[in-house]
Amino acid sequence: QNEELAALVEAVEDDGQAEVESALSLRGGRDVFFLMKNSSFELPGNDKVHTYHIFGNNHAGERSIYILPTSLRVWCSNMLHMVYRNSTGFKIRHTSSMKDRVADAISQIKHSQESAEKFRVTCQQLAEKRLSMREVTDYWDNVYTKQYGPTPDPKGNWHNLDAGEKSQITRKEEIMTEFSNALSNERKRTEDNLNAWTALNSVTEWIDHGRTVRGEKKGDQLRVHSNMLGSAAKMKSMALETALAL
């Protein structure tokens, strides 16, 4: 299967549709990827974003060969997929003819390129959506609640809460502080812009780099897998959907 994946990637590259930038194997070889460079764009504040195609295969029966359009923000290395409601991306049909599979791969790459252009427009719209600080904190609260559920209200009621409820409140406060710190960095880097794009990236920065990944050990690849295909990727898609609703 790795040979087939490599052959498809080579065919796409030879066709001039994309260029291989790197290759990666995760979870003991269960997931194999080629990262293919697509296009780049820039948002206000010298905020550069590169778009890619993740050309991947899974050897654990979880998915067939697929193309997942994604992006990488240069200054903070936040990764955000462009397929909001279809986290599996574009599947390559398994046919008996290699020629047909190559044709399908090239066709799906073009769909991924279209997603990249739509994503550029979406990011521009988010960057143009100015927000108040209250709107940003409401956005954080909405994202947190969607992911982790409602948190008990501590106002005037702290002494009546049990240890578990107090722990929930403390955890939320800590994560909100992380969001706030990330937003401060965002505003320093993007000419003090306070908008839906910087609000979104204050969340995705924490998801990619600060969120605890269960079972993670120093040097292992669980965080990378989570950010690309696991629970972190799903949370980032939800955060994007929530930002688009602002």
Side-chain angles (χ1 to χ4, degrees):
Q1 285 183 319
N2 285 346
E3 291 79 5
E4 179 185 356
L5 177 64
L8 291 173
V9 168
E10 183 179 7
V12 167
E13 191 170 36
D14 289 344
D15 193 63
Q17 297 298 325
E19 181 179 347
V20 174
E21 186 165 293
S22 60
L24 179 65
S25 174
L26 295 176
R27 301 195 298 169
R30 281 184 287 175
D31 292 290
V32 178
F33 312 98
F34 285 89
L35 193 65
M36 305 190 77
K37 183 70 179 295
N38 181 25
S39 60
S40 301
F41 59 89
E42 187 172 312
L43 297 172
N46 195 33
D47 194 355
K48 297 179 181 178
V49 180
H50 297 320
T51 69
Y52 296 87
H53 316 286
I54 295 176
F55 216 129
N57 196 12
N58 174 267
H59 298 288
E62 296 168 4
R63 65 185 75 211
S64 57
I65 294 177
Y66 60 91
I67 298 170
L68 182 62
T70 193
S71 68
L72 193 66
R73 195 164 174 239
V74 173
W75 83 265
C76 60
S77 297
N78 289 355
M79 176 175 281
L80 189 62
H81 297 334
M82 305 169 198
V83 188
Y84 315 144
R85 297 177 179 86
N86 178 13
S87 60
T88 59
F90 305 105
K91 294 180 180 179
I92 307 300
R93 292 181 292 114
H94 185 74
T95 61
S96 58
S97 167
M98 186 62 183
K99 181 180 179 180
D100 289 343
R101 292 199 292 276
V102 167
D104 193 35
I106 291 173
S107 174
Q108 298 296 13
I109 276 286
K110 291 178 180 178
H111 288 311
S112 185
Q113 290 167 342
E114 291 170 1
S115 291
E117 175 56 21
K118 291 177 182 178
F119 181 72
R120 182 194 65 78
V121 173
T122 293
C123 293
Q124 186 67 46
Q125 291 172 341
L126 290 173
E128 292 171 355
K129 177 66 175 179
R130 299 288 297 178
L131 299 177
S132 66
M133 196 61 224
R134 175 60 184 270
E135 288 173 318
V136 173
T137 56
D138 286 346
Y139 166 70
W140 291 340
D141 187 78
N142 197 359
V143 169
Y144 184 93
T145 301
K146 286 182 178 180
Q147 181 69 18
Y148 300 110
T151 305
D153 186 356
K155 294 179 181 179
N157 193 41
W158 181 261
H159 297 294
N160 295 324
L161 300 176
D162 60 33
E165 291 171 325
K166 291 179 179 178
S167 178
Q168 290 178 44
I169 293 168
T170 300
R171 183 193 187 206
K172 181 177 180 179
E173 290 174 346
E174 290 173 348
I175 292 175
M176 291 296 166
T177 298
E178 294 288 338
F179 290 167
S180 179
N181 291 340
L183 183 67
S184 295
N185 292 332
E186 288 284 331
R187 299 182 74 175
K188 291 175 184 177
R189 296 283 304 192
T190 60
E191 302 175 354
D192 201 34
N193 287 328
L194 188 60
N195 52 48
W197 173 246
T198 51
L200 168 64
N201 279 282
S202 68
V203 172
T204 60
E205 181 176 342
W206 174 79
I207 296 172
D208 273 347
H209 308 294
R211 177 176 175 264
T212 299
V213 178
R214 185 172 297 177
E216 182 182 26
K217 298 177 182 177
K218 187 176 181 179
D220 74 14
Q221 300 171 327
L222 287 177
R223 178 175 294 277
V224 176
H225 181 268
S226 181
N227 288 345
M228 291 179 68
L229 296 170
S231 58
K234 292 178 181 178
M235 185 176 179
K236 287 182 288 185
S237 291
M238 176 271 289
L240 174 57
E241 291 279 7
T242 305
L244 290 171
L246 291 172

